[in-house]
Amino acid sequence: MSGFIVFFVFKAARVIVASRSYADFASEATFDIKKCDVHKLEETPPTTAVLTREEGLQYYRTMQTIRRMELKSDQLYKQKIIRGFCHLYDGQEACCVGLESGINPTDHLITAYRAHGYTYTRGVSVKEILAELTGRRGGCAKGKGGSMHMYAKNFYGGNGIVGAQVPLGAGIALACKYFGKDEICVSLYGDGAANQGQIFETYNMAALWKLPCIFICENNRYGMGTSVERAAASTDYYKRGDYIPGLRVDGMDVLCVREATKFAANHCRSGKGPILMELQTYRYHGHSMSDPGVRQVHCPENYYRTREEIQEVRSKSDPITLLKDRMLNNNLSNVEELKEIDVEVRKEIEEAAQFATTDPEPPLEELGYHIYHNEPTFEVRGANPWIKYKSVS
């Protein structure tokens, strides 16, 4: 009995200590952030940023969720539960979280095939994302899109053709301007796509028509097995818009990305036309699941990265670790609270993975569903000309 009393008193004391420590947390803190390099801009984003305790906890949870979701995706792919294309986003979490915190939910966003993080920050649940990856009915595209084709309100994918989302983004920005709404479009692409001709054609139209579009190059330093130095004569991607002003941003710092995005969004909303942002970031996995992600024996010295380089980035520049250290060192949280978030995130990911591996696949008769929106039903011929499917909007 006495042992029970001691345990009860100890547990109660822990609760009291926890409640006191939570009450003693600072409500906000101010941080110095890296100055952005600029092109054709007289003003620059701020070099300090205020982070509230609530924002810090939200950013931490979101980035941890994306990180764990991508690690689970890697595991499911290696188990052959996820098939086809799969491009993981771990290491780049500060880009999508910082960007989303710098724009409005009513703004529009379109990206390339490394889309899982943006799908989540645009409001799609982990359960729907993982179910889409495994090709199940509960996926955000009913199991028909997979890794590269996910959509949500004001989110236009996930696009498989390298660089093709950039002119689409300009079209969305044109619609924003045409309808006179105070909305902008964020159009994202990678350093590999930055050399596509259609991107420069889009720059030209956007500059001529002063479209409210933020062009964002997520420069993670490598394309498919190739460093940016081997692929581009100029790696100053933020200057490539020529007459379009540009920013080069530390893409591993969520606060730096947030402040630069707010600056760029205000530029577009004020009627000044497009702006270009280069986010200097890093991906921990290979380009896709077919890319080992590190230099192979036969590779030239400057061809691809080493395991040591990846480890150095993890130890010095990890976006989640950077945010965590800031919060702990400035009394915005404590180790126990952040560990609780980690446990909750792991539980959410495991439950989502359980759903994604048990939810049924779409039946064959739904092959012709969702071809067009709000169109009358019509017959769709399958691979076998004697089998007919019905379209359903």
Side-chain angles (χ1 to χ4, degrees):
M1 182 69 180
S2 60
F4 174 76
I5 293 171
V6 169
F7 171 76
F8 180 78
V9 171
F10 176 70
K11 190 174 181 183
R14 280 182 62 192
V15 172
I16 292 169
V17 170
S19 63
R20 282 177 183 165
S21 63
Y22 279 73
D24 290 341
F25 285 137
S27 60
E28 63 179 43
T30 303
F31 299 95
D32 292 328
I33 56 176
K34 187 177 177 182
K35 184 179 180 181
C36 297
D37 296 320
V38 296
H39 168 67
K40 290 189 180 296
L41 283 168
E42 294 180 2
E43 296 181 40
T44 63
T47 53
T48 60
V50 176
L51 178 70
T52 67
R53 169 172 151 76
E54 289 72 24
E55 287 171 342
L57 292 174
Q58 178 199 335
Y59 298 164
Y60 181 81
R61 180 183 292 272
T62 305
M63 287 201 287
Q64 277 288 32
T65 301
I66 295 168
R67 175 72 56 88
R68 292 283 167 187
M69 178 176 70
E70 295 299 65
L71 294 178
K72 177 58 70 173
S73 300
D74 178 55
Q75 180 186 340
L76 292 173
Y77 197 97
K78 287 169 180 171
Q79 293 172 347
K80 294 183 168 43
I81 297 171
I82 294 174
R83 290 164 289 177
F85 293 101
C86 188
H87 302 82
L88 301 180
Y89 200 72
D90 50 319
Q92 300 183 213
E93 297 89 354
C95 296
C96 59
V97 175
L99 199 155
E100 195 67 58
S101 61
I103 59 175
N104 302 326
T106 51
D107 290 327
H108 307 266
L109 192 145
I110 186 168
T111 188
Y113 38 72
R114 202 177 304 278
H116 307 163
Y118 289 101
T119 307
Y120 181 71
T121 59
R122 288 267 96 182
V124 179
S125 68
V126 178
K127 188 168 81 168
E128 291 174 288
I129 293 171
L130 289 183
E132 187 58 41
L133 286 167
T134 57
R136 309 302 171 114
R137 295 179 72 173
C140 56
K142 311 299 182 188
K144 297 179 179 181
S147 175
M148 296 197 291
H149 305 288
M150 299 181 181
Y151 309 94
K153 186 173 176 59
N154 298 328
F155 176 59
Y156 307 83
N159 292 269
I161 301 173
V162 176
Q165 72 279 5
V166 180
L168 293 177
I172 297 165
L174 177 61
C176 293
K177 183 171 183 177
Y178 181 83
F179 289 116
K181 296 181 178 180
D182 187 28
E183 297 170 357
I184 62 173
C185 181
V186 178
S187 186
L188 294 118
Y189 54 98
D191 49 273
N195 300 315
Q196 289 283 321
Q198 59 196 318
I199 291 179
F200 295 92
E201 294 172 31
T202 305
Y203 288 164
N204 184 56
M205 287 189 287
L208 282 172
W209 300 341
K210 292 195 181 306
L211 300 183
C213 190
I214 308 177
F215 297 110
I216 299 185
C217 175
E218 287 184 288
N219 177 10
N220 58 30
R221 293 168 49 182
Y222 296 94
M224 177 67 177
T226 309
S227 65
V228 292
E229 291 80 12
R230 284 176 59 90
S234 169
T235 57
D236 289 336
Y237 295 104
Y238 73 110
K239 294 181 179 178
R240 290 222 186 159
D242 197 1
Y243 289 96
I244 298 176
L247 298 165
R248 181 158 60 191
V249 183
D250 181 0
M252 302 300 271
D253 181 350
V254 67
L255 296 182
C256 205
V257 176
R258 184 189 72 181
E259 296 306 312
T261 303
K262 286 180 180 177
F263 178 91
N266 289 335
H267 175 96
C268 290
R269 291 188 214 280
S270 67
K272 295 177 182 175
I275 191 168
L276 179 56
M277 283 172 61
E278 175 189 345
L279 303 182
Q280 292 189 311
T281 185
Y282 201 85
R283 56 170 168 75
Y284 292 151
H285 271 88
H287 173 79
S288 64
M289 302 307 289
S290 60
D291 172 15
V294 291
R295 182 189 301 162
Q296 300 301 291
V297 177
H298 62 275
C299 291
E301 281 300 304
N302 64 341
Y303 190 62
Y304 209 11
R305 62 192 185 177
T306 60
R307 295 186 191 278
E308 292 74 25
E309 179 186 300
I310 300 170
Q311 192 54 45
E312 184 179 11
V313 174
R314 280 186 183 275
S315 62
K316 293 182 179 179
S317 306
D318 184 81
I320 298 176
T321 304
L322 175 61
L323 176 64
K324 180 179 180 179
D325 290 345
R326 278 174 168 165
M327 294 183 70
L328 295 179
N329 295 337
N330 289 270
N331 196 33
L332 293 173
S333 185
N334 61 20
V335 173
E336 291 73 24
E337 184 178 31
L338 296 182
K339 279 185 177 177
E340 284 177 19
I341 292 175
D342 294 346
V343 170
E344 291 168 5
V345 167
R346 286 195 190 98
K347 184 171 183 269
E348 180 186 0
I349 300 300
E350 288 304 321
E351 289 175 353
Q354 179 66 22
F355 174 79
T357 52
T358 56
D359 190 50
E361 294 181 354
L364 194 60
E365 57 266 24
E366 291 185 8
L367 189 65
Y369 286 18
H370 310 116
I371 296 174
Y372 295 105
H373 179 59
N374 289 338
E375 285 285 317
T377 301
F378 58 92
E379 285 193 344
V380 181
R381 195 181 75 182
N384 184 328
W386 290 277
I387 297 177
K388 298 288 180 70
Y389 300 101
K390 292 284 186 182
S391 76
V392 174
S393 295

